[in-house]
Amino acid sequence: MADERIELHFIILSQDAGGIIGREGRNIRQMRDESGANINITAGTGVERILNIKGNSEQVKSAVQMTAEKLQEIASNGNSDSVPPVTMRLLVPNSQCGPLIGKGGQRIKEIREASGATITIPSETLPGSSERSVTLAGSPQSLGTCVSKIYEVFEEFPARQNNVQYFPHMYGRSMGPTQVSVMSGQLSLQGLSRRSEQRVRLPSNVIGSLIGKGGCHINEIRQFSGATVQIEENKKDSRMSDVVIAGTPEAVSCATFLINARISAGRNAIKNRRQGGQGGQGGANNGGGSGDERRGRRNDRNDYNRE
């Protein structure tokens, strides 16, 4: 099985494709040379493109880790103090989702535990295809390990020959009377996809890290998932806030996952700062922040609920 070469397909944002390719193709050539995998990105003018990685298990693992490192670099804008978790979306044929989940969810649980990555498998296939967009998130190293474990499942359970691949450009243009909603990270045909809404109740003192400086985090979540994300004050309990997420079931699932990942990253950053600080400032933070901080959070909610 070591010589087996399987091709994996990932959905990436067109705005990230340039960073992966690099000036005059330097980045992608380096990744090919160092990993030994065949790596290419489809051409296109829409918001999404397909990243194809083909090789044996070790080659694909290495290529995915390098790609994740580049995506992390792009997301952090070179700021080493703010390193967000990396999210990649793997296209998985519907026929392979069952084996990937395993009996009673045992296999996917094992992959999560072995890799440390989070895996979210939506219940619906992407428009015009028989593939699902499986969201993987974590550090570059954990994503590499996660994909190598998924690779093993694909070796054992190949996709059926009747698989219909997902191509973003098929839905990038007007299709007459049917309205096509094209959003970064999520495509949906009105009338073909159900809309759902979910409310997540969070402590108000984590809202700042969810919104991010200048709204960068919450806007990124909206853009990547395609869901509408609004933050509302809880009138019964000022210590809590409600995050309202609306969109297709897949978009809501993706946004919920990204929100949890962002809050987790924010808490880890605060924990690291406290451990590295002199102490004596924890009381105000544990108490939910000063009056100015609370007013700032209210202003943030008002400003960044405007999409």
Side-chain angles (χ1 to χ4, degrees):
M1 282 295 187
D3 295 331
E4 189 78 20
R5 290 175 63 86
I6 293 177
E7 185 170 38
L8 300 183
H9 310 282
F10 297 85
I11 302 174
I12 62 171
L13 299 179
S14 292
Q15 66 192 40
D16 293 336
I20 295 171
I21 295 169
R23 182 172 293 182
E24 298 178 351
R26 291 174 189 169
N27 291 346
I28 200 168
R29 277 201 306 270
Q30 182 180 359
M31 288 193 289
R32 287 171 184 153
D33 292 341
E34 294 184 7
S35 69
N38 184 6
I39 309 170
N40 63 78
I41 297 175
T42 59
T45 57
V47 294
E48 294 177 331
R49 292 162 78 173
I50 301 298
L51 167 68
N52 304 301
I53 301 177
K54 185 176 183 179
N56 61 35
S57 179
E58 282 303 312
Q59 291 170 337
V60 168
K61 176 183 178 180
S62 178
V64 167
Q65 182 170 328
M66 291 178 193
T67 302
E69 288 170 353
K70 183 56 64 178
L71 290 171
Q72 190 174 64
E73 182 183 321
I74 294 169
S76 63
N77 291 318
N79 182 4
S80 59
D81 294 332
S82 175
V83 182
V86 186
T87 302
M88 297 182 71
R89 289 175 297 158
L90 174 65
L91 289 170
V92 179
N94 202 38
S95 62
Q96 290 179 306
C97 287
L100 179 57
I101 294 169
K103 187 175 182 180
Q106 185 60 35
R107 191 184 294 266
I108 196 170
K109 180 182 177 183
E110 291 171 356
I111 295 174
R112 286 171 177 150
E113 291 175 350
S115 66
T118 303
I119 310 170
T120 304
I121 302 180
S123 59
E124 295 184 346
T125 56
L126 290 165
S129 77
S130 59
E131 296 183 322
R132 302 191 209 179
S133 172
V134 176
T135 304
L136 315 175
S139 68
Q141 294 79 8
S142 66
L143 291 185
T145 303
C146 178
V147 169
S148 71
K149 298 293 183 184
I150 293 174
Y151 190 105
E152 293 173 5
V153 176
F154 289 177
E155 283 184 315
E156 185 178 355
F157 300 95
R160 294 176 185 169
Q161 293 184 347
N162 62 352
N163 179 54
V164 180
Q165 290 186 311
Y166 173 69
F167 294 104
H169 66 269
M170 291 176 61
Y171 299 92
R173 296 180 180 178
S174 173
M175 298 176 63
T178 304
Q179 183 179 353
V180 183
S181 172
V182 183
M183 302 189 76
S184 187
Q186 177 69 34
L187 304 184
S188 63
L189 289 174
Q190 260 192 5
L192 297 184
S193 295
R194 304 190 311 274
R195 285 187 62 82
S196 62
E197 183 176 292
Q198 181 172 328
R199 282 180 173 266
V200 179
R201 186 156 294 176
L202 297 172
S204 294
N205 60 8
V206 305
I207 296 300
S209 63
L210 173 59
I211 292 171
K213 187 176 182 180
C216 61
H217 294 160
I218 195 167
N219 287 334
E220 185 180 75
I221 291 170
R222 288 166 176 158
Q223 183 182 41
F224 194 90
S225 68
T228 299
V229 183
Q230 302 284 346
I231 299 174
E232 300 176 355
E233 285 191 39
N234 188 303
K235 296 179 179 178
K236 295 182 180 179
D237 187 350
S238 61
R239 296 171 298 177
M240 304 297 289
S241 295
D242 292 330
V243 181
V244 184
I245 311 163
T248 64
E250 184 184 10
V252 170
S253 175
C254 182
T256 302
F257 164 75
L258 293 173
I259 288 168
N260 289 332
R262 171 49 55 195
I263 291 171
S264 177
R267 283 174 173 162
N268 288 337
I270 292 171
K271 182 179 178 182
N272 292 337
R273 285 198 298 270
R274 286 177 178 170
Q275 289 175 344
Q278 298 297 321
Q281 295 180 354
N285 290 334
N286 291 335
S290 66
D292 288 341
E293 288 172 335
R294 286 192 292 271
R295 283 190 292 274
R297 286 196 293 268
R298 283 196 291 271
N299 291 335
D300 285 345
R301 278 190 284 264
N302 293 333
D303 290 341
Y304 301 116
N305 275 336
R306 303 188 189 103
E307 296 190 44

